[in-house]
Amino acid sequence: MSTDLITELKPTKSAPLYGFWYPATTSTALAVGQMQTQVMLGQPILVCRDRQGKVAAMRDICPHRGMPLSFGHFDGERVECAYHGWQFDTGGRCRHIPALVEGSPLQPEKIGITSYPCQDQDGYVWVFLPDPQQPKQPVPELPRLPLPSEPYRMIQISTILDCTIDDGIVGLMDPAHGPFVHQSSWWRTKASMHDKAKTFEPIPNGFRMVPHAPSKNSGPYKLLNRLYGGPLTTTIDFVLPNQRFEFVQCGSMYVSSRATVTPVGEQQCRIDFAAAWNILPWLPFAKPLFRYFANIFMKQDKQAMERQAVGLKYKPALMLIDDADTPAKWYYKLKAAHLAAVQTGRPLDHPLKDRVTLRWRS
Ligand code: FES
Ligand SMILES: [Fe+2]
C-alpha cells in the first residue's frame, strides 16, 4: 500500500481556480429588481436581477472611490452608488455622474466596472469568473444538473464552512467517513461496514464512479429498491473546479443532486447542495422532509470539517491512503494538471488514463 503526503502536492494547495462558473446565490433569493453581494474567490461580486428578470454580475466596488455598490440602490435598471450617486447599468457601464456640470468633458460611459457572464440555471444564479491568465478563454458551457424528465421537486440548502477550498472538496468526495460522520440507525452504522469495490473512469475535467448498485447498507436505498423494484443505479461524477454530481436512477424515476464548494476566502468556503427528484410523487411534505435529512447530512459534514480545521491550523503533514483516499489524490492531480494546461496552453494531461477499480471498507 502506498501513501502520499498531501504536503508533496503543496504548490496548488488551496489556490482557487479561475475560468469556471460558480453559484452566487439561489435563483429565488434574487427577486426582480433586487441586488445581492457575495464574496467569491476572494472577490466582491454584485449580482442583480433586472426588470425583465435577467441576471447580471459585476464587481461590487464603485470605480470612483471604492464604495461597495451593494450599499447603494438598484431600481431594476441601474445601480446607484451610495456615496456620490454615480449610476451604472447592469453591464457595469457608467450612465450618470450627478456632480458633472453641463458641457463637462468627462464622458460617464467611458467608465466601466468589471462585469461577469451570469446565468440563472438549475435554481442558482451562476457567475463565470474568468482566469486572468487566459484572457481569450471562451466562456464554457455551464454544467447542467441532469433532469431527465418533468415534473420534479427540488430543494437547495447551503452552509458556510470555515476551511480551505481543498479540504472542503476532499471532504465532499471522501468515501470512508460515512460510517463515522454520518452514523445513524436509519442511514448506516459502523457495524454495517463492508468491503466495497467501485469502478471509476475519466471524464472531461473529472472522474466518474460508473453506474453501480448503491450501498446495500443504507436504509433509504433499500426502501427505494423495494418500492420501485430496481435495478437501481448510482452514478457519481466529480468535475473541476468543485462539483460533485450524484444521479440515482430506477427506470424513469430519479434523484439527481449536485454539491458545489465555492471558495469565499482562503479559509472559508460555501457548500451549496441542490437535489431534484420525481420519486414518491404522492408523498406529502416531500420537500421539507428531504430538506430536513439533507440538512442533517450537511451539518454532520460541516462539523467534521470544522473540527478537522482546528487540527489543520497546526499545519500537520497529512496522508492520503490507497484506495480510500485515491479520489482525493486524483482531485489534487487534476487540479495541478488543469493549472499546468493553463500555463503551457497544452491539453489537460488527465491523471486517470483508464478505468480503475478502487477497494475500501465503508
Ligand atoms: S464612490 Fe461611488 S460614486 Fe463616489
Ligand atoms: Fe459526508
Side-chain angles (χ1 to χ4, degrees), residues 161-194:
L161 286 180
D162 288 319
C163 68
T164 68
I165 178 65
D166 287 345
D167 295 320
I169 287 176
V170 164
L172 198 73
M173 64 175 58
D174 167 12
H177 73 283
F180 298 90
V181 172
H182 302 300
Q183 226 184 103
S184 73
S185 52
W186 55 271
W187 182 254
R188 59 185 57 171
T189 61
K190 263 191 241 175
S192 72
M193 278 179 78
H194 61 277

Side-chain angles (χ1 to χ4, degrees), residues 20-290:
F20 291 99
W21 289 93
Y22 288 93
T25 186
T26 59
S27 305
T28 48
L30 193 66
V32 166
Q34 281 188 347
M35 62 176 175
Q36 199 188 106
T37 186
Q38 288 287 343
V39 178
M40 293 155 78
L41 284 66
Q43 300 296 321
I45 310 282
L46 185 80
V47 286
C48 53
R49 191 187 295 278
D50 71 13
R51 285 182 198 151
Q52 281 72 46
K54 240 184 112 227
V55 290
M58 64 189 97
R59 193 167 147 80
D60 188 16
I61 299 283
C62 179
H64 180 213
R65 300 257 293 280
M67 172 71 94
L69 291 165
S70 48
F71 287 118
H73 173 74
F74 179 52
D75 66 358
E77 237 169 65
R78 291 182 183 182
V79 182
E80 185 182 82
C81 180
Y83 208 172
H84 312 93
W86 290 24
Q87 290 180 2
F88 302 88
D89 64 22
T90 54
R93 186 96 347 246
C94 186
R95 294 297 175 193
H96 182 57
I97 297 179
L100 291 184
V101 293
E102 221 180 285
S104 160
L106 182 67
Q107 294 168 278
E109 54 283 356
K110 291 260 162 76
I111 301 168
I113 307 172
T114 304
S115 64
Y116 305 96
C118 189
Q119 269 186 44
D120 192 345
Q121 193 182 286
D122 300 334
Y124 289 99
V125 176
W126 298 82
V127 177
F128 176 74
L129 296 172
D131 189 341
Q133 290 202 65
Q134 294 178 280
K136 292 199 188 102
Q137 181 197 9
V139 178
E141 220 171 285
L142 209 164
R144 297 194 84 110
L145 185 67
L147 295 167
S149 63
E150 292 189 28
Y152 54 81
R153 296 190 226 198
M154 189 169 187
I155 56 143
Q156 286 118 343
I157 58 172
S158 170
T159 193
I160 291 286
L161 286 180
D162 288 319
C163 68
T164 68
I165 178 65
D166 287 345
D167 295 320
I169 287 176
V170 164
L172 198 73
M173 64 175 58
D174 167 12
H177 73 283
F180 298 90
V181 172
H182 302 300
Q183 226 184 103
S184 73
S185 52
W186 55 271
W187 182 254
R188 59 185 57 171
T189 61
K190 263 191 241 175
S192 72
M193 278 179 78
H194 61 277
D195 285 25
K196 288 197 179 139
K198 299 275 157 71
T199 300
F200 291 79
E201 65 185 15
I203 55 174
N205 269 340
F207 45 88
R208 165 171 298 164
M209 189 191 283
V210 301
H212 60 279
S215 226
K216 285 185 211 73
N217 56 349
S218 71
Y221 287 144
K222 267 192 232 159
L223 177 74
L224 279 182
N225 229 336
R226 205 166 305 153
L227 279 173
Y228 291 110
L232 192 68
T233 59
T234 303
T235 310
I236 300 176
D237 288 358
F238 173 79
V239 282
L240 283 181
N242 64 349
Q243 309 203 10
R244 179 193 189 271
F245 293 90
E246 181 161 350
F247 187 70
V248 181
Q249 190 168 32
C250 183
S252 61
M253 309 310 279
Y254 64 87
V255 181
S256 183
S257 66
R258 163 164 53 191
T260 57
V261 190
T262 299
V264 176
E266 258 170 54
Q267 287 295 329
Q268 199 173 63
C269 41
R270 168 166 43 85
I271 296 195
D272 290 290
F273 174 78
W277 66 92
N278 67 352
I279 55 163
L280 315 179
W282 40 263
L283 184 73
F285 308 114
K287 278 166 75 156
L289 261 174
F290 201 131

Side-chain angles (χ1 to χ4, degrees), residues 8-17 165-166 331-340:
E8 287 167 19
L9 303 151
K10 202 112 196 174
T12 66
K13 184 94 169 90
S14 292
L17 291 184
I165 178 65
D166 287 345
Y331 162 66
Y332 283 113
K333 287 180 181 162
L334 205 55
K335 188 174 172 182
H338 166 79
L339 290 170

